[in-house]
Amino acid sequence: MDLMQKIISLSKRRGFIFPSSEIYGGFGSSYDFGPLGVLLKNNIKKAWLDEMLKKQDNIVGLDAAILMSPKVWEASGHLTAGFADELVECLSCHKRFRVDEIKKDKCPECGGKITKPKQFNLMMKTFVGSLEDESAIAYLRAETCQGIYINFKNVLNSGRLKLPFGIAQIGKSFRNEITTKNFIFRMREFEQMEMQWFCHPKEADKWFEFWKEQRLNWYLDLGVKKENLKLSEIPAGKRAHYAKRQIDLEYNFPFGWQEIEGIHNRGDWDLSQHQKHSGQDLKYKDPETGEEYIPHLIETSAGVERSFLAFFTEAYQEISGGRTETTEATKEEETLLKLDKKLAPVKVAILPLVKNKKEIVKKTQEIYKMIKPHFMAQYDEAGSIGRRYRRQDEIGTLYCVTIDFDTLDDSDVTVRDRDTMKQKRVKIGKLLEYLAEKLN
Ligand code: GAP
């Protein structure tokens, strides 16, 4: 099996990600996040929100609606601006081309096979209300940031903010992608974590550099190795229609380098367009100098699922010959998911050494109840202790707490560290404090 197959298989086997509608044969590129997947996904989102709302200065949150006036999408250029061209897509490099750019039925970039021409717009259409005619057409948002732009004045005035400031939002976006491929990398329904930084036009270049660095550091701080990340400057002509400057933050996936986040200088494109189409004044007046201008926007736009896949790939390790410390080591290949402590879905596993000794099971359940409100914990009593350690390593659990015969006499438990496999005896009364020190 290649690495991607192994990741997909582990994801399904351990309840991270399931193909959607599987009992009906699946549904395109949709995936469902299982019990562990939802924990990991939420931890990624929390790490991003903590970064934006706690670590950085002057950023506030927003949760705008998915359904907005269709006028938003006219103004933003998503219904036009090349989005409705007849397009073909290369089946191997996924570049899209207008029909008139294609001479033979081969991709002009890589020579791959191309799809048949299609009238193509990425926006997903739906109807709102009881009528199903032109007047009822609405769109599922293709990027979360438009909800931020149309709320610029609401947020500015209600929060009495001053430029520069940011608005951060996490939410679902939808794109009718022609081809979907590579597991959760390219989907039609996905989540974005977007931050829009409103600043003075003269400061846009400076902030672009700042945010580019901050975003790179976020992935590094969460355990992604430097050599697996790169920033690619996108040249004019290849940028998104709104971008004056664009850097793709790429990860070295098993299927090659691919974008996980875009950093864009959107200039005054969005606010000017919304000002023009809505007739509302979206200028900012500097309270000190009195200067009036349309703020420029620096955007950081990350995909939740693409980050998920990057963190998962980065954490995935195979140890051939086994590394389990017990005498029961089978010397078979073991899997270790070395996720950062902020991201690991389960922080602590609570394990009775044996399940057929009533007093041990009772004590273990008491400890599980004590730990559970503080750290995401799992109780597991099935199988040998070595096998249970391996199961926990495979899902990235940071600590295993084992309750054994000695515990009943001396109130000590064994705490095993996922990465070093070192074991330490800790008093039950000190266990919470010990874990808090390690995990917080
Ligand atoms: N607001 C700017 C914007 O949406 P983008 O480069 O089109 O920019 C930003 O998308 C991020 O959203 C990408 O870097 C990627 O992580 C995620 N993304 C975009 N399309 C996606 C898809 N079809 N499936 C999964 N994630 C996607």
Side-chain angles (χ1 to χ4, degrees), residues 143 175 177 185 187 192 194 242 259-260 299 301 303:
E143 52 176 8
R175 294 183 195 179
E177 300 281 0
F185 179 80
M187 300 192 293
Q192 291 186 309
E194 297 200 304
Y242 48 73
E259 174 193 342
I260 50 174
E299 163 180 74
S301 174

Side-chain angles (χ1 to χ4, degrees), residues 36-77:
L36 292 180
V38 80
L39 293 175
L40 173 51
K41 209 178 184 199
N42 283 340
N43 290 344
I44 293 171
K45 292 194 265 185
K46 182 175 184 313
W48 186 85
L49 280 176
D50 282 351
E51 166 77 14
M52 292 300 172
L53 303 182
K54 291 188 185 166
K55 194 186 135 197
Q56 302 289 348
D57 292 327
N58 276 356
I59 301 183
V60 294
L62 185 78
D63 186 7
I66 289 174
L67 294 173
M68 292 178 256
S69 163
K71 289 178 185 157
V72 169
W73 304 107
E74 269 166 43
S76 71

